[in-house]
């Protein structure tokens, strides 16, 4: 069973010819439709995130300022990021869509949820919009889960490092953040030596990979660098920052993945969930509409046992050495940091 | 207090940023410091105009000549990220600046609001002193 939370953002928060645009939502839903799921898909209406839910990860001063900025008509927040008059309500629905997805899975206790919502979130910091993102959607859902004593694994396979998500959970031992991302590239963070704060050493895993890297390199990064941390963490929920801009057709970056690679990654990450009904995908980047549609269909198809695969997985690109280097640098940083947190999993 | 050795100045090609660079050059001449002109490459610039940084570097070369500062004391640094994050990182190696300089409003900043203001964010988060150069005051 696929639970789609949304779609939301298909007409609002419109920046004109900006690549993070409402038409992305129609492309995503076309990808869902390509699977012809019939009664195996359930559409869930997004919540509107309330102040207390947002304040778990954002400063209230920032929230107030963003709301007022949008109410005044909006404008550019930085060279990349815009807000329009309706962006505040769109962002709250995008954040609430994640919360609705989690609740829907809790009620069913099986299935996979996909949050089809924009604006995206993983660059949004506690006190600042950034990189097309206003509210950190995945962080708001993860924080709601940890408030209920869950241990949350976030896998971020967007081509850009999720600096906002990392920063929000930097010192939180109940969230494990894993990112593979092109390097060097915006936002410039995400080195393998960034391993988490004093209370959460090892709870951040970064594997930067070079332009031109193919799907086998990303899988190797998860397998060889992230897997030990994931095994040790033993998550109860798995959330995916599912950006599809690592696709070779994407105009904003230079990795060389195909839609088939996202299918392979999805199968791999789904295996980290503690049991059925504990996996949620959040739409992040992905700016070539055709690639976005194919990648969404391939990803969801893989999770639902469908054989839909419009493109083969890729291999042979550069980056294996960089993955090995990331593992060595991370191990070194962990050794320098001293003994890891005690075996007690849940730390308050 | 140690003498000022390296000044990092943000540069996005805007008029306000040019004013900040001129002010930083003048200060550097007076105290004998090096200047690192820092340019942040965001998501859209990476996608749309990968030659933009080269054009901006040429502008900095012109400003260097106009200021009469020793070109060997002027360095060019391009970093990935938003302007605020890239400037905050300029405090650390390899730039290792001990003063940050920005114009009062760069590209994308929204007049009259704190939100989206690189200078405001820097003032809040930077770990070294920050100078915000109002347009028209760079020679003073």
């Amino acid at each position: 069973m696929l639970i789609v939370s949304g779609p939301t953002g298909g007409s609002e928060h419109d920046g004109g010819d900006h690549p993070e645009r409402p038409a992305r939502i129609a492309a995503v839903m076309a990808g869902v439709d390509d699977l012809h799921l019939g009664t195996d898909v359930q559409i869930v209406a997004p919540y509107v995130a309330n102040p207390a839910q947002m304040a778990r990860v954002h400063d209230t001063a920032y929230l107030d300022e963003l709301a007022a900025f949008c109410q005044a008509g909006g404008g550019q927040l930085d060279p990349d990021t815009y807000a329009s008059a309706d962006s505040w309500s769109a962002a709250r629905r995008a954040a609430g869509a994640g919360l609705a997805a989690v609740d829907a899975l809790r009620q069913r206790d099986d299935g996979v949820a996909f949050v089809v919502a924009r604006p995206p979130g993983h660059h949004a910091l506690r006190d600042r919009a950034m990189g097309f993102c206003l509210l950190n959607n995945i962080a708001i859902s993860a924080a709601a889960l940890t408030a209920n004593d869950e241990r949350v694994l976030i896998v971020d396979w967007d081509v850009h490092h999720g600096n906002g998500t990392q920063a929000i959970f930097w010192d939180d031992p109940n969230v494990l953040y894993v990112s593979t991302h092109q390097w060097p590239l915006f936002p410039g963070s995400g080195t393998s030596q960034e391993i988490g704060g004093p209370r959460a050493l090892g709870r951040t895993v970064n594997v930067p990979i070079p332009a031109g890297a193919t799907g086998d390199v990303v899988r190797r990064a998860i397998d060889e660098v992230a897997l030990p941390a994931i095994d040790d963490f033993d998550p109860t929920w798995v959330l995916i920052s599912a950006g599809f801009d690592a696709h070779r057709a994407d105009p904003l970056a230079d990795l060389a993945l195909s839609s088939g690679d996202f299918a392979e990654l999805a199968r791999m990450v789904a295996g980290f969930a503690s049991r059925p009904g504990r996996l949620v995908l959040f739409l992040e980047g992905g700016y070539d509409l055709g690639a976005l549609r194919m990648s969404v269909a391939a990803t969801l198809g893989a999770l639902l046992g469908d054989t839909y695969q419009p493109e083969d997985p890729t291999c042979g690109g550069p980056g294996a050495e960089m993955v090995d280097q990331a593992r060595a640098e991370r191990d070194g940083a962990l050794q320098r940091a001293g003994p890891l947190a005690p075996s007690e999993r849940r730390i308050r | 207090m140690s003498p000022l050795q390296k000044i990092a100045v943000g540069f996005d090609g805007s008029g306000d940023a040019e004013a900040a660079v001129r002010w930083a050059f003048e200060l550097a001449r007076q105290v004998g410091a090096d200047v690192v002109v820092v340019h942040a490459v965001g998501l859209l610039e990476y996608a749309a105009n990968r030659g933009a940084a080269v054009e901006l570097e040429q502008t900095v070369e012109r400003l260097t000549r106009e200021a009469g500062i020793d070109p060997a004391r002027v360095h060019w640094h391009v970093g990935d990220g938003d302007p605020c994050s890239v400037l905050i990182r300029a405090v650390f190696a390899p730039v290792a600046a001990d003063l940050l300089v920005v114009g009062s409003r760069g590209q994308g900043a929204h007049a009259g609001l704190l939100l989206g203001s690189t200078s405001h964010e820097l003032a809040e988060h930077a770990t070294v002193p920050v100078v915000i150069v109002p347009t028209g005051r760079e020679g003073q």
Side-chain angles (χ1 to χ4, degrees):
Chain A
M1 169 63 73
L2 173 67
I3 293 164
V4 170
S5 186
T8 180
S11 59
E12 59 272 59
H13 183 62
D14 189 347
D17 58 359
H18 196 286
E20 203 296 287
R21 56 204 190 277
R24 297 178 63 233
I25 294 296
V28 167
M29 291 309 293
V32 173
D33 291 343
D34 287 341
L35 293 172
H36 304 292
L37 292 172
T39 56
D40 282 339
V41 61
Q42 177 190 346
I43 304 292
V44 171
Y47 302 156
V48 176
N50 67 40
Q53 291 161 337
M54 294 185 286
R56 287 195 182 106
V57 305
H58 290 292
D59 291 348
T60 51
Y62 165 67
L63 296 171
D64 292 345
E65 213 172 351
L66 181 61
F69 183 74
C70 294
Q71 194 171 22
Q76 284 297 126
L77 291 162
D78 67 25
D80 293 321
T81 313
Y82 68 91
S84 48
D86 58 1
S87 294
W88 174 241
S89 57
R92 290 179 67 191
R93 269 199 305 280
L99 298 166
V102 166
D103 277 356
L105 283 183
R106 273 193 174 130
Q107 285 163 16
R108 293 188 52 88
D109 243 10
D110 73 349
V112 172
F114 183 28
V115 178
V116 183
R118 56 176 291 282
H122 73 150
H123 294 305
L125 294 156
R126 188 169 285 280
D127 61 353
R128 187 147 54 95
M130 183 176 161
F132 310 166
C133 302
L134 303 180
L135 300 177
N136 197 312
N137 307 324
I138 198 167
I140 288 170
S141 283
L145 286 165
T146 60
N148 279 305
D149 292 345
E150 302 285 359
R151 295 185 308 278
V152 180
L153 166 64
I154 297 175
V155 176
D156 187 334
W157 70 47
D158 188 281
V159 77
H160 304 99
H161 179 241
N163 61 302
T165 310
Q166 173 178 295
I168 286 166
F169 297 117
W170 180 248
D171 208 21
D172 187 337
N174 301 309
V175 175
L176 173 60
Y177 176 73
V178 173
S179 176
T180 59
H181 44 271
Q182 183 181 326
W183 180 275
L185 189 66
F186 182 97
S189 54
T191 70
S192 51
Q193 296 180 60
E194 295 166 31
I195 58 170
R199 293 180 68 243
L201 287 171
R203 295 287 197 254
T204 293
V205 182
N206 285 308
V207 193
I209 54 177
T214 40
D216 57 327
V217 175
V218 180
R219 290 190 290 278
R220 181 186 178 118
I222 302 279
D223 232 1
E224 296 191 6
V225 187
L227 197 54
I230 295 169
D231 284 345
D232 176 66
F233 182 66
D234 190 21
T236 57
W237 280 76
V238 177
L239 311 184
I240 301 176
S241 264
F244 297 100
D245 41 8
H247 192 281
R248 58 195 172 203
D250 197 273
L252 263 61
D254 295 302
L255 292 190
L257 274 64
S258 68
S259 56
D261 289 314
F262 291 110
E264 294 292 314
L265 278 171
R267 284 191 197 95
M268 190 178 212
V269 175
F272 303 143
S274 59
R275 59 191 172 95
R278 292 295 179 265
L279 178 66
V280 188
L281 296 91
F282 291 71
L283 179 66
E284 299 282 3
Y287 307 99
D288 179 279
L289 298 185
L292 182 58
R293 175 177 179 164
M294 276 193 297
S295 300
V296 163
T299 300
L300 298 178
L303 293 172
L304 299 170
D306 195 288
T307 55
Y308 182 83
Q309 188 152 308
E311 296 171 321
D312 289 334
T314 60
C315 62
E321 303 81 7
M322 208 159 158
V323 171
D324 293 343
Q325 184 185 341
R327 184 176 55 185
E329 288 178 353
R330 174 178 168 79
D331 288 348
L334 286 167
Q335 282 174 4
R336 286 192 298 277
L340 293 180
S343 57
E344 174 63 45
R345 301 277 188 195
R346 177 81 201 167
I347 302 171
R348 290 184 186 279
Chain B
M1 178 181 279
S2 61
L4 198 56
Q5 294 184 330
K6 201 177 276 186
I7 301 165
V9 54
F11 187 62
D12 63 3
S14 66
D16 286 2
E18 282 201 21
V21 170
R22 287 195 188 95
W23 190 92
F25 282 172
E26 182 55 34
L27 177 63
R29 272 162 42 100
Q30 290 177 22
V31 302
D34 281 14
V35 178
V36 183
V37 182
V38 176
H39 176 62
V41 177
L43 289 162
L44 296 179
E45 181 177 322
Y46 182 88
N49 187 2
R50 299 185 187 195
V54 175
E55 294 169 19
L56 293 177
E57 189 174 7
Q58 290 167 352
T59 304
V60 170
E61 288 169 1
R62 173 178 58 79
L63 294 172
T64 303
R65 287 194 301 274
E66 289 173 3
I69 189 171
D70 179 0
R73 286 200 167 278
V74 178
H75 312 278
W76 175 244
H77 177 77
V78 176
D80 290 297
D82 69 309
C84 184
S85 302
V86 172
L87 278 166
I88 286 172
R89 284 200 296 268
V91 170
F92 305 101
V95 176
D98 35 26
L99 179 73
L100 301 178
V101 179
V102 289
S104 52
R105 283 192 300 127
Q107 288 180 351
H110 205 268
L113 286 168
L114 295 180
L115 195 68
S117 159
T118 299
S119 51
H120 169 68
E121 296 291 346
L122 275 181
E124 196 169 346
H125 296 292
T127 53
V128 299
V130 176
V131 172
I132 301 166
V133 180
T135 305
R137 296 293 298 270
E138 62 271 25
Q140 298 178 34

